[in-house]
Amino acid sequence: AYSTTLVATGATSFSVISGSTPMTMDAPDCTLQINSGTGEMATTQLTFQGTYNFTVRATNASGSSDRAFSITVTGAGGMMPM
């Protein structure tokens, strides 16, 4: 399992706008998901090793801001946020 929460001052929504997040072919519901309201990124299991690059947009009443992220899956269920 993996979970982390993205934080952006005043953000009311979060979304992945480009790139790809880690996933598993055997159980699509285990794909790393971002909660659009809280910024929590979580999954129960990941099986595809590799480095995944993606961009998240945080939005509030004043506008939005984008930030690039990279996550490396080092083994079944193992992740290292970069």
Side-chain angles (χ1 to χ4, degrees):
Y2 175 82
S3 176
T4 191
T5 301
L6 305 176
V7 177
T9 302
T12 56
S13 69
F14 296 84
S15 59
V16 175
I17 61 167
S18 67
S20 62
T21 57
M23 65 180 145
T24 174
M25 187 183 321
D26 298 330
D29 60 323
C30 292
T31 299
L32 183 66
Q33 299 288 326
I34 186 168
N35 180 306
S36 64
T38 66
E40 179 185 21
M41 297 185 75
T43 186
T44 56
Q45 154 189 343
L46 295 167
T47 57
F48 292 140
Q49 294 183 20
T51 298
Y52 299 83
N53 300 301
F54 55 97
T55 301
V56 173
R57 176 171 288 157
T59 304
N60 65 22
S62 298
S64 63
S65 182
D66 301 343
R67 172 121 187 229
F69 291 90
S70 179
I71 290 181
T72 299
V73 178
T74 57
M79 295 182 67
M80 295 177 57
M82 305 292 252

